[in-house]
């Protein structure tokens, strides 16, 4: 029996914000968006979403801007969002999220990686666009929670 003063054992080690911010978000998006439920998808929506939120929060990105971008992705697809001249208001955040959107647009459409999606209107499976939009909403929510807890 564990003693109350000892923390319970967990399978996942604790990560610092710097650890999470250092994750390869583009790879998580490229392979996690179309992955079946399991470790890749869990990593994308868990550590990946927190890491993305940390990076965008450090760039002073408003959560509502990320939520709006999620709606753009939902309406027009990740390719259309990646082609926007300014997907987020601040240049550093726009460049960062454009890389993520490009990774999402090049996500494999089957179990094996395929060639990147061509330019133009969304060529993604609508479910992939929807998953990308849900991930961006999760990132926006995490940014908002981080801000509220700092007040």
């Amino acid at each position: 029996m564990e003693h109350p003063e000892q923390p319970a054992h967990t399978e996942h080690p604790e990560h610092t914000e710097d650890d999470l911010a250092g994750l390869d978000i583009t790879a998580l998006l490229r392979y996690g968006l179309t992955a079946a439920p399991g470790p890749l998808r869990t990593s994308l929506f868990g550590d990946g979403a927190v890491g993305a939120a940390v990076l965008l929060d450090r760039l002073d990105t408003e959560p509502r801007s990320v939520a709006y971008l999620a709606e753009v992705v939902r309406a027009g697809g990740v390719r259309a969002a990646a082609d926007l001249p300014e997907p987020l208001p601040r240049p550093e955040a726009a460049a960062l999220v454009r890389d993520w959107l490009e990774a999402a647009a090049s996500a494999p459409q089957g179990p094996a990686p395929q060639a990147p999606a061509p330019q133009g209107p969304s060529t993604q499976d609508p479910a992939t666009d929807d998953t990308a939009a849900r991930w961006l909403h999760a990132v926006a929510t995490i940014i908002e929670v981080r801000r509220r807890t700092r007040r």
Side-chain angles (χ1 to χ4, degrees):
M1 181 164 170
E2 292 183 16
H3 297 280
E5 59 273 1
Q6 293 179 334
H9 174 71
T10 61
E11 285 186 33
H12 305 287
E14 292 186 29
H15 298 289
T16 66
E17 284 189 359
D18 289 337
D19 292 340
L20 295 170
L23 291 174
D24 188 349
I25 305 294
T26 56
L28 287 171
L29 282 164
R30 185 172 292 116
Y31 299 109
L33 283 176
T34 57
L40 282 175
R41 183 68 64 90
T42 300
S43 292
L44 175 63
F45 276 87
D47 292 346
V50 174
V54 167
L55 290 168
L56 290 174
D57 193 26
R58 288 177 178 176
L59 294 172
D60 204 27
T61 306
E62 291 292 330
R64 67 177 175 246
S65 298
V66 180
Y68 181 77
L69 180 60
E71 291 307 315
V72 170
V73 168
R74 189 178 310 282
V78 292
R79 170 53 49 207
D83 290 342
L84 290 171
E86 193 172 274
L88 289 176
R90 298 181 187 275
E92 299 86 3
L96 182 62
V97 81
R98 186 174 291 107
D99 287 344
W100 298 344
L101 292 168
E102 288 291 342
S106 69
Q109 295 301 300
Q114 300 172 350
Q119 299 287 345
S122 183
T123 57
Q124 295 287 358
D125 174 4
T128 302
D129 289 334
D130 185 63
T131 302
R134 286 188 304 111
W135 182 79
L136 283 166
H137 270 294
V139 171
T141 300
I142 294 164
I143 295 170
E144 180 67 24
V145 169
R146 287 172 53 82
R147 290 183 175 200
R148 287 179 185 240
T149 58
R150 283 194 301 253
R151 290 184 190 159

